[in-house]
Amino acid sequence: MISLTRKAEFSAAHYYWNEAWSQEKNEAVFGRCANRNGHGHNYTLEVTVTGDVDAVTGFVVDLKELKEVMEREVVGVYDHRHLNLEVPEFKVMVPTTENIAIAIWNRLAGKIKGAKLERVRVYEMPDLFADYCGEA
Amino acid sequence: MISLTRKAEFSAAHYYWNEAWSQEKNEAVFGRCANRNGHGHNYTLEVTVTGDVDAVTGFVVDLKELKEVMEREVVGVYDHRHLNLEVPEFKVMVPTTENIAIAIWNRLAGKIKGAKLERVRVYEMPDLFADYCGEA
Amino acid sequence: MISLTRKAEFSAAHYYWNEAWSQEKNEAVFGRCANRNGHGHNYTLEVTVTGDVDAVTGFVVDLKELKEVMEREVVGVYDHRHLNLEVPEFKVMVPTTENIAIAIWNRLAGKIKGAKLERVRVYEMPDLFADYCGEA
Amino acid sequence: MISLTRKAEFSAAHYYWNEAWSQEKNEAVFGRCANRNGHGHNYTLEVTVTGDVDAVTGFVVDLKELKEVMEREVVGVYDHRHLNLEVPEFKVMVPTTENIAIAIWNRLAGKIKGAKLERVRVYEMPDLFADYCGEA
Amino acid sequence: MISLTRKAEFSAAHYYWNEAWSQEKNEAVFGRCANRNGHGHNYTLEVTVTGDVDAVTGFVVDLKELKEVMEREVVGVYDHRHLNLEVPEFKVMVPTTENIAIAIWNRLAGKIKGAKLERVRVYEMPDLFADYCGEA
Amino acid sequence: MISLTRKAEFSAAHYYWNEAWSQEKNEAVFGRCANRNGHGHNYTLEVTVTGDVDAVTGFVVDLKELKEVMEREVVGVYDHRHLNLEVPEFKVMVPTTENIAIAIWNRLAGKIKGAKLERVRVYEMPDLFADYCGEA
């Protein structure tokens, strides 16, 4: 068993807001992220897959296919978008780094041929990232 | 003469749009950046100042003051903001990397005590940056 | 279960020295790190916490609180200090990268509300780091 | 138990090719990597070892010894070499990132005194890496 | 006047060799780079252009066009290639970092519409790079 | 004319202190850097040289020689040292980033065969650096 990790980037806008709360409560909990005009980030995504190395090709996964899946399922949907306004899953959950990692896991699960999705890591900033490895 | 450069970061949303153009023209020129919902970046700012080294302190500029000026004049105004909607200069010019560098230069010029503002560099992404050194 | 990692930095001086050994023995074991005048590093600290994502906020941990705990318990104590001379735990153990990771774990354990401390990673240099995950 | 990770770099040429296949098949599977003239990379190697911290030295492993083993067993053999043409293990297996990680594990296993080899990570590019932790 | 810099990457093999010299002389001058099997690098290219900011678009240069020129003239020709064997200019000059920078300048000069090519920077490794700004 | 830049690193301790001032004055001017126990950094040094490319070798400067000069004149003297206590020039001037850049320039000037020393850049932290290009 060996794992392979590929990175990708996307730039998106977001804000943190709970419709059930007052503006004061939102600002108290979410600070400057509660600004409804939105702000944004260069997100870095790391997708790790695990499997056996194919004895002939030396690959755990076809890198071109992995790249295409990441592009089609995630980068093509999130990049240059406002996550709250344009990405369905964030109309019902706050686009925190944690929730973005879970959402990307759910988008990729079952889509990568021949290898097991092992971990999704999302960096919102170089000094902040979330890891999700699916439900136990 | 020696120069000193200090970096800072801010996260902001923006879009590229010219009110005088149709949506088609905007999309043709600005591509995916023309999405009016906005997207965003982690911007990195580098401010370079030049001067003589003070013989006693060994400083070209008081680093604490430089940090305060950068925070007060730029980071505190741009960070966690939507540049088009909340920063005055970008209501009349498109917030491209080039224009952001010029706008930051204009915000800092004349505010740094005892040293000459030499260059403003703005990274929109790790692989794209603009430099502005003022008018000749 | 999801994990969130936040980075911080501190700059400190240290040396490696065992009082029970001769200078020759110290230099043989610790090399140039045995210089009693001290040398120093820009340390990078990564703190990883694990927990359930709060269904309302989308947070595993309140990021502002995590930052405050890291600042109060570690960065405020280690930054711009000589570890051997000014930080109590390093009067009795050598401030190697390994021991710094353990010491930071002990400083943070039990202080982070609502999430489990999962791992402490300390970089002494970009090409050298230690990970500690507590006692099994 | 604590782990320590040390990085090293080597620059090497390689290509992907299966002698049993036609040129068309090789290009279909391996893309531009099938170019027999070779291309190359700056590889980054991370070696992680685990063990108990020595109560006297504060070390899991003697860093100088770890560096020497990595240099002698890996960097000295791979650096400035053509992996397919000059490194024995890649005459019989394709030098993919996955296989390089396994080969380095096999070169290092049993050679690091006093600590357990925990993981070998190999970056072929900053956005692509493989991890190998040995056979379960 | 403002400048804009865009980065790109390519992975290539090369070696240093002067046909007029003996193997001993080549190895004395070029060290391990004289290995005729080749080795390789992940090169990073930075292209800087200078010009006036267009008052309407806020651009010094059309970023999409700049990317296309860099791809067509350089990355598409050098990436996944053996520089000595497959790129014409390196059949007559040694592909050192300096010569690669000059060759890229010559490939790009006059191809970027509406802005002046200001500088080409080439990183062979993260700790080594060459800058070329054309003939005075 | 082309320039070549090589990086190196050194880890050192330092403090900022003016013997002619009271402790209060030192702390007011130098902040936490006035702590006489010292703190430290991983410094990154970039040395840029300029010259003509040798038509035969393709080099502006012999890289091995440049590395040896940087090692002998700077890294071997500063690395794992306390700058104030062990490096002569910092007994009479404060080891600020600016002064370290000037001191390194003075150490290297006239020592690099066949090329002109163009610039010395010193990073004290990834977000702070000084450039010195000699006296006009």
Side-chain angles (χ1 to χ4, degrees):
Chain A
M1 296 284 287
I2 194 163
S3 73
L4 189 107
T5 301
R6 186 163 198 129
K7 300 189 193 187
E9 296 188 345
F10 57 92
S11 297
H14 75 161
Y15 57 74
Y16 293 171
W17 190 264
N18 181 349
E19 290 286 355
W21 292 345
S22 67
Q23 177 145 351
E24 289 68 27
K25 178 85 188 270
N26 272 292
E27 289 177 355
V29 173
F30 293 129
R32 291 189 302 169
C33 295
N35 174 3
R36 296 296 290 275
N37 288 310
H39 64 285
H41 300 286
N42 302 325
Y43 291 92
T44 299
L45 165 63
E46 290 186 9
V47 175
T48 301
V49 300
T50 307
D52 295 309
V53 176
D54 182 286
V56 175
T57 62
F59 290 151
V60 160
V61 66
D62 184 304
L63 276 179
K64 204 175 57 164
E65 281 187 22
L66 177 57
K67 189 176 183 178
E68 286 168 1
V69 171
M70 289 167 62
E71 175 63 29
R72 186 181 68 234
E73 302 293 333
V74 182
V75 176
V77 184
Y78 289 11
D79 189 38
H80 279 67
R81 295 292 172 189
H82 192 303
L83 299 179
N84 302 65
L85 305 183
E86 298 181 90
V87 177
E89 55 264 41
F90 301 117
K91 297 193 174 171
V92 294
M93 64 179 181
V94 182
T96 58
T97 317
E98 294 94 321
N99 276 340
I100 295 172
I102 294 171
I104 290 174
W105 175 280
N106 290 336
R107 284 180 170 273
L108 293 174
K111 306 273 175 47
I112 300 163
K113 275 196 305 191
K116 182 178 164 291
L117 181 60
E118 181 73 15
R119 194 190 69 188
V120 166
R121 175 173 289 184
V122 176
Y123 286 82
E124 185 188 273
M125 302 274 288
D127 62 357
L128 183 70
F129 61 86
D131 288 305
Y132 186 60
C133 302
E135 305 257 333
Chain B
M1 294 288 284
I2 194 162
S3 74
L4 189 108
T5 302
R6 183 163 201 129
K7 300 189 191 184
E9 297 187 343
F10 57 91
S11 297
H14 74 161
Y15 57 75
Y16 293 171
W17 190 265
N18 180 350
E19 290 288 356
W21 292 345
S22 68
Q23 176 145 353
E24 289 67 28
K25 177 85 187 273
N26 272 292
E27 288 175 356
V29 174
F30 294 129
R32 291 189 302 169
C33 295
N35 174 4
R36 296 297 292 274
N37 289 310
H39 64 284
H41 300 286
N42 303 325
Y43 292 91
T44 299
L45 165 63
E46 288 185 10
V47 175
T48 301
V49 299
T50 307
D52 295 309
V53 176
D54 182 286
V56 176
T57 63
F59 290 151
V60 159
V61 66
D62 183 304
L63 277 177
K64 204 175 58 164
E65 281 187 22
L66 177 57
K67 188 176 184 179
E68 285 167 1
V69 170
M70 290 167 62
E71 175 64 28
R72 185 181 68 234
E73 302 294 332
V74 182
V75 176
V77 183
Y78 287 11
D79 189 39
H80 279 68
R81 296 291 171 190
H82 192 301
L83 298 179
N84 304 63
L85 306 182
E86 299 181 89
V87 177
E89 55 263 42
F90 301 117
K91 297 194 174 171
V92 293
M93 65 179 179
V94 182
T96 58
T97 317
E98 294 93 322
N99 276 340
I100 295 172
I102 293 171
I104 291 174
W105 174 280
N106 290 336
R107 284 182 169 274
L108 292 175
K111 304 274 175 47
I112 299 164
K113 277 196 304 193
K116 181 177 165 292
L117 182 60
E118 182 73 17
R119 195 190 69 190
V120 166
R121 175 173 288 182
V122 175
Y123 286 84
E124 185 188 274
M125 301 274 287
D127 61 358
L128 184 70
F129 61 86
D131 288 306
Y132 186 60
C133 302
E135 304 257 335
Chain C
M1 296 286 287
I2 195 163
S3 74
L4 189 107
T5 301
R6 184 165 200 128
K7 300 190 191 186
E9 297 188 343
F10 58 92
S11 297
H14 75 158
Y15 58 75
Y16 293 173
W17 191 264
N18 180 348
E19 290 287 355
W21 292 345
S22 67
Q23 177 144 352
E24 289 67 29
K25 178 87 188 270
N26 272 292
E27 288 174 356
V29 174
F30 294 128
R32 290 190 302 170
C33 295
N35 174 4
R36 295 297 290 275
N37 288 311
H39 64 285
H41 300 287
N42 303 325
Y43 291 92
T44 299
L45 166 63
E46 288 186 11
V47 175
T48 302
V49 300
T50 308
D52 294 311
V53 176
D54 183 286
V56 176
T57 63
F59 290 151
V60 160
V61 65
D62 184 304
L63 276 179
K64 203 175 58 163
E65 280 187 23
L66 177 56
K67 188 177 185 178
E68 285 167 0
V69 171
M70 289 168 63
E71 174 64 28
R72 186 180 68 232
E73 302 293 332
V74 182
V75 176
V77 183
Y78 288 10
D79 188 39
H80 280 67
R81 296 292 172 189
H82 192 302
L83 298 180
N84 302 65
L85 305 182
E86 300 182 89
V87 176
E89 55 263 42
F90 301 117
K91 297 194 174 171
V92 294
M93 65 179 181
V94 182
T96 58
T97 316
E98 294 94 320
N99 276 340
I100 295 172
I102 294 171
I104 290 174
W105 175 279
N106 291 335
R107 283 181 170 273
L108 292 175
K111 305 273 173 47
I112 299 162
K113 277 197 303 190
K116 183 177 164 291
L117 181 60
E118 181 73 15
R119 195 190 69 186
V120 166
R121 175 172 289 185
V122 175
Y123 286 83
E124 186 189 273
M125 302 274 288
D127 61 357
L128 183 71
F129 61 85
D131 288 305
Y132 187 60
C133 302
E135 305 255 334
Chain D
M1 296 288 286
I2 194 163
S3 74
L4 189 106
T5 300
R6 184 162 200 128
K7 300 190 191 185
E9 296 188 344
F10 57 93
S11 296
H14 75 160
Y15 57 75
Y16 293 171
W17 190 264
N18 180 349
E19 289 288 355
W21 292 346
S22 67
Q23 177 145 352
E24 289 67 29
K25 178 84 187 273
N26 273 292
E27 288 174 356
V29 173
F30 294 129
R32 292 189 300 169
C33 294
N35 174 4
R36 295 296 290 274
N37 289 310
H39 64 284
H41 300 287
N42 302 325
Y43 291 92
T44 299
L45 165 63
E46 287 185 11
V47 175
T48 302
V49 300
T50 308
D52 295 310
V53 177
D54 182 286
V56 175
T57 62
F59 289 153
V60 160
V61 67
D62 184 302
L63 276 179
K64 203 175 56 163
E65 281 188 22
L66 177 57
K67 188 176 184 178
E68 286 168 1
V69 170
M70 290 167 63
E71 175 64 28
R72 186 181 68 235
E73 302 294 332
V74 182
V75 176
V77 184
Y78 287 11
D79 189 38
H80 279 66
R81 296 290 171 190
H82 192 302
L83 298 180
N84 302 64
L85 306 181
E86 299 181 90
V87 177
E89 56 263 41
F90 301 117
K91 298 194 173 172
V92 294
M93 64 179 182
V94 183
T96 57
T97 316
E98 294 93 322
N99 276 341
I100 295 172
I102 294 170
I104 290 175
W105 175 279
N106 290 337
R107 284 181 169 273
L108 293 175
K111 305 272 174 47
I112 299 163
K113 276 197 304 190
K116 183 177 165 291
L117 182 59
E118 181 74 15
R119 194 189 69 187
V120 166
R121 175 172 290 184
V122 175
Y123 286 83
E124 187 188 273
M125 302 275 287
D127 62 357
L128 184 70
F129 61 87
D131 289 304
Y132 186 59
C133 302
E135 305 256 332
Chain E
M1 295 285 286
I2 194 164
S3 75
L4 189 106
T5 301
R6 184 164 199 127
K7 301 189 190 186
E9 296 188 343
F10 58 92
S11 297
H14 75 159
Y15 57 76
Y16 294 172
W17 189 263
N18 181 349
E19 289 288 354
W21 292 346
S22 67
Q23 176 144 354
E24 289 68 28
K25 177 87 189 272
N26 272 292
E27 287 175 357
V29 174
F30 294 130
R32 293 189 300 171
C33 295
N35 174 3
R36 296 295 291 274
N37 288 310
H39 64 284
H41 300 286
N42 302 324
Y43 292 91
T44 299
L45 165 63
E46 288 185 12
V47 175
T48 302
V49 301
T50 307
D52 294 310
V53 176
D54 183 285
V56 175
T57 63
F59 290 151
V60 159
V61 66
D62 184 303
L63 276 179
K64 204 175 58 163
E65 280 188 23
L66 177 57
K67 189 177 184 177
E68 285 168 2
V69 171
M70 290 167 62
E71 175 64 29
R72 186 181 69 235
E73 302 293 333
V74 183
V75 176
V77 183
Y78 287 10
D79 189 37
H80 279 67
R81 295 291 172 191
H82 192 302
L83 299 180
N84 303 65
L85 306 182
E86 299 181 271
V87 177
E89 55 263 41
F90 301 117
K91 297 192 175 174
V92 294
M93 65 178 180
V94 183
T96 57
T97 316
E98 293 94 322
N99 277 339
I100 296 172
I102 294 171
I104 290 174
W105 175 279
N106 291 336
R107 285 181 168 274
L108 293 174
K111 305 273 175 46
I112 299 163
K113 277 196 303 192
K116 182 178 164 290
L117 181 59
E118 180 74 16
R119 195 190 69 187
V120 166
R121 176 173 288 184
V122 175
Y123 286 83
E124 185 189 274
M125 302 273 289
D127 60 359
L128 184 70
F129 61 87
D131 288 305
Y132 187 60
C133 302
E135 305 257 334
Chain F
M1 296 287 288
I2 194 164
S3 74
L4 189 106
T5 301
R6 184 163 199 129
K7 300 189 192 185
E9 296 188 344
F10 57 92
S11 297
H14 74 160
Y15 57 75
Y16 293 171
W17 189 264
N18 181 348
E19 289 289 353
W21 291 345
S22 67
Q23 176 144 353
E24 288 67 28
K25 179 85 188 274
N26 272 292
E27 288 176 356
V29 173
F30 294 128
R32 290 189 303 169
C33 294
N35 174 2
R36 296 296 290 274
N37 289 309
H39 64 285
H41 300 287
N42 302 326
Y43 291 91
T44 299
L45 165 64
E46 288 185 10
V47 175
T48 301
V49 299
T50 308
D52 294 310
V53 176
D54 182 285
V56 176
T57 62
F59 290 152
V60 159
V61 67
D62 184 303
L63 276 179
K64 204 176 57 163
E65 280 187 22
L66 176 57
K67 188 177 184 178
E68 285 167 2
V69 171
M70 289 166 63
E71 175 63 29
R72 187 182 67 234
E73 302 294 332
V74 182
V75 176
V77 184
Y78 288 11
D79 189 36
H80 279 67
R81 295 291 172 190
H82 191 301
L83 299 179
N84 303 64
L85 305 183
E86 299 181 90
V87 177
E89 56 262 42
F90 301 118
K91 296 191 176 175
V92 294
M93 65 179 181
V94 182
T96 57
T97 316
E98 293 94 321
N99 277 339
I100 295 172
I102 294 171
I104 290 174
W105 175 279
N106 291 336
R107 284 180 169 274
L108 293 174
K111 305 273 175 47
I112 299 163
K113 278 197 301 191
K116 181 177 166 290
L117 181 59
E118 180 74 16
R119 194 190 68 187
V120 167
R121 176 173 289 183
V122 175
Y123 286 83
E124 185 188 273
M125 302 275 288
D127 61 358
L128 183 70
F129 61 86
D131 289 305
Y132 186 61
C133 301
E135 304 258 333

